[in-house]
Amino acid sequence: MPIATVNPANGETLKTYDALSPEDIEQKLALAARTFDTYRTTSFFDRARLLQQAADLLDADTPDIARVMTIEMGKPLAAARAEAAKCAKAMRWYAENAQHLLADEHPAEADVRDSGAARAHVRYRPLGVVLAVMPWNFPLWQVVRFAAPALMAGNVGLLKHASNVPQTALYLEDLFRRAGFPEGCFQTLLVGSGEIEGILRDERVAAATLTGSEPAGRSVASIAGDEVKKTVLELGGSDPYVVMPSADVAKAAKTAVTARTQNNGQSCIAAKRFIVHEDVFTEFRDAFVEGMRALRVGDPLDESTDIGPLASEQGRKDLEELVDEAVESGATVLCGGQRPKDFADRGWFYEPTVLADIRPEMRIHREETFGPVATVYRVADLDEAIKVANDTPFGLSSNLWTADEAEIERFARDSGAGGVFVNGMTASHPALPFGGAKRSGYGRELAGHGIKEFCNITTVWVAA
């Protein structure tokens, strides 16, 4: 895949970039290793000052970088601005909280007395150079939610970003440089996927994090496992959205439209399977379909656009195959299901779509739909809702709409996902851990859990 900015709204190639040579890669690896030797000993105060400066610069840069993101991967301009603001917020949160999150932990004296120690404590030390393999769908946020905690912990970062967002990738390196981080603290690697194995196997790289497809995650995990290196993986999801009779059905349906179509439907934590109790199924279905039909598909640079194009032509083909196979197997199209007529000859657009009458043998029941396509299911009770919700190889997040506390407790206990969101849509937040179970990956990003993922958790024991 070429390293290039290709506008998904019209298919026009705007910029292309040469991949780094082996000599270039070696220089960047050497610089990262040298930088870590000194950066790891810097104070939390100094790191926080630099990260605060990066947040301030990002705020000032938002109009420009938002436009770059929209042109590179097609998200509506308002969503791009919101993404930049969220990144600045996360930077400030880690700048303000990293020191206490990574403070030394001192066990009670009575608990370690029989260990022979006069004193003992746990210290969190940085691992080293961390390779981040990141996707295009949230080209700033996916990176910052790794970079902010990693840099505050004293690590340094190497970014292998998706090949269709090179301008955003280069912007991130420049942002941290302008903020005053030492040269080599954060570097972008303009390389193809074929170079990842060699970089990850390099002894100067201590760990890796990947957000992306399941095959990519398997590959990185296999290589890292062979090298005995730490990894964190976030590999997507097919999140359930359960609506029970006691819910505010009108609000649940309105929120469902946003939950399914955020980022043009290209979000790992977007709700994808809408599982509705039979008592409120018709009410929810009709309101949901009406809301999906009302969305405006168009140029993502137009402020009135709700849904822009998919990020790539291949992505649209993959989505069409899932929908077409389901329809051929008996699924009912409630709205959408094709390319918009107004954009038949340009861009990679797809109509907001709702499908019903889904059966377990259909691919769309088991596979992630990465685009504005929803499936709706009718269930008889909470037991059946949980069974359908968990009938997926993924386990990233889940949603429940109910006013019944017993149902909330039951769903929180039995959901197979890494997140449970009640009476609202799934969202990531700096103070809350983010990650999944099953084939959605392992490890956590954000909060204190995320900053500790790339730390050497060290026992310091001093004899009596």
Side-chain angles (χ1 to χ4, degrees):
M1 181 176 182
I3 301 173
T5 296
V6 180
N7 187 343
N10 55 27
E12 180 183 357
T13 300
L14 302 177
K15 287 189 176 183
T16 59
Y17 296 83
D18 292 331
L20 296 178
S21 68
E23 293 76 20
D24 294 331
I25 296 171
E26 167 58 30
Q27 289 177 6
K28 287 183 176 288
L29 285 166
L31 176 58
R34 290 196 305 271
T35 300
F36 174 68
D37 281 343
T38 54
Y39 181 70
R40 66 184 177 84
T41 63
T42 57
S43 68
F44 283 109
F45 176 84
D46 287 338
R47 296 173 202 165
R49 175 179 53 82
L50 296 173
L51 198 58
Q52 291 276 16
Q53 290 172 183
D56 291 343
L57 287 170
L58 179 54
D59 281 340
D61 294 343
T62 289
D64 292 333
I65 189 57
R67 185 177 178 85
V68 169
M69 285 191 285
T70 294
I71 290 172
E72 287 203 307
M73 57 71 56
K75 68 172 72 236
L77 195 55
R81 289 194 295 265
E83 181 174 340
K86 186 174 185 177
C87 290
K89 175 181 178 179
M91 289 177 180
R92 293 188 174 99
W93 190 87
Y94 273 108
E96 294 166 3
N97 290 285
Q99 184 168 6
H100 78 78
L101 292 173
L102 296 181
D104 290 352
E105 296 176 5
H106 297 268
E109 184 177 339
D111 291 338
V112 296
R113 186 178 296 128
D114 62 356
S115 74
R119 63 183 190 275
H121 66 273
V122 177
R123 176 163 295 176
Y124 294 93
R125 297 185 293 157
L127 282 183
V129 179
V130 181
L131 172 66
V133 182
M134 293 289 114
W136 46 261
N137 57 334
F138 291 95
L140 275 186
W141 173 239
Q142 302 279 13
V143 178
V144 167
R145 76 184 191 193
F146 142 75
L151 290 170
M152 282 305 302
N155 296 297
V156 302
L158 293 173
L159 169 64
K160 192 291 179 205
H161 217 325
S163 294
N164 62 328
V165 290
Q167 292 186 68
T168 306
L170 291 170
Y171 166 80
L172 284 158
E173 177 177 329
D174 184 61
L175 174 68
F176 289 115
R177 178 191 59 77
R178 288 186 290 131
F181 281 90
E183 185 183 9
C185 261
F186 186 93
Q187 298 180 84
T188 286
L189 305 177
L190 291 184
V191 296
S193 58
E195 302 297 331
I196 294 174
E197 179 171 356
I199 295 167
L200 182 52
R201 289 191 183 278
D202 191 284
E203 64 181 7
R204 291 164 292 191
V205 173
T209 179
L210 178 141
T211 298
S213 68
E214 185 182 336
R218 288 178 182 275
S219 176
V220 165
S222 176
I223 296 164
D226 191 48
E227 296 291 338
V228 197
K229 294 182 180 182
K230 175 70 179 287
T231 52
V232 171
L233 303 179
E234 194 266 274
L235 306 180
S238 188
D239 291 2
Y241 189 102
V242 175
V243 183
M244 298 302 290
S246 64
D248 182 336
V249 176
K251 185 178 180 181
K254 182 177 180 180
T255 304
V257 174
T258 304
R260 173 62 284 227
T261 61
Q262 59 176 315
N263 206 46
N264 302 337
Q266 299 166 123
S267 172
C268 300
I269 56 172
K272 300 181 176 77
R273 297 176 297 127
F274 297 82
I275 303 162
V276 187
H277 192 283
E278 60 188 9
D279 290 352
V280 292
F281 179 83
T282 300
E283 180 185 358
F284 175 89
R285 179 200 62 197
D286 292 350
F288 181 45
V289 170
E290 181 182 357
M292 292 286 277
R293 279 197 182 117
L295 294 171
R296 184 177 185 275
V297 178
D299 182 351
L301 292 173
D302 185 334
E303 296 285 359
S304 66
T305 290
D306 298 309
I307 303 290
L310 298 186
S312 70
E313 187 174 18
Q314 185 60 51
R316 184 174 64 178
K317 288 180 180 178
D318 293 342
L319 189 67
E320 287 175 323
E321 287 178 4
L322 284 176
V323 172
D324 293 346
E325 188 269 349
V327 172
E328 290 169 3
S329 300
T332 302
V333 179
L334 301 181
C335 69
Q338 58 188 352
R339 302 178 185 185
K341 292 181 174 59
D342 290 344
F343 298 94
D345 60 347
R346 68 184 190 280
W348 301 312
F349 295 87
Y350 197 77
E351 289 182 341
T353 299
V354 181
L355 302 179
D357 302 315
I358 304 300
R359 296 197 305 274
E361 63 268 21
M362 296 176 182
R363 285 178 56 205
I364 204 165
H365 177 73
R366 306 289 297 171
E367 298 181 25
E368 181 177 23
T369 50
F370 222 57
V373 174
T375 53
V376 292
Y377 299 76
R378 183 197 301 260
V379 294
D381 52 30
L382 184 61
D383 286 340
E384 186 179 2
I386 291 172
K387 181 179 179 181
V388 175
N390 289 338
D391 187 24
T392 171
F394 299 104
L396 189 55
S397 189
S398 60
N399 300 260
L400 173 67
W401 286 76
T402 182
D404 186 324
E405 285 296 328
E407 289 179 345
I408 294 172
E409 288 303 311
R410 170 78 189 286
F411 192 78
R413 183 192 73 184
D414 293 344
S415 168
V420 174
F421 287 72
V422 180
N423 297 330
M425 59 182 276
T426 298
S428 54
H429 186 281
L432 298 172
F434 177 87
K438 300 194 285 187
R439 292 187 182 179
S440 286
Y442 52 75
R444 290 297 181 264
E445 297 176 289
L446 302 175
H449 303 76
I451 198 171
K452 292 173 181 176
E453 287 283 6
F454 295 116
C455 287
N456 177 354
I457 305 173
T458 307
T459 296
V460 180
W461 181 96
V462 181

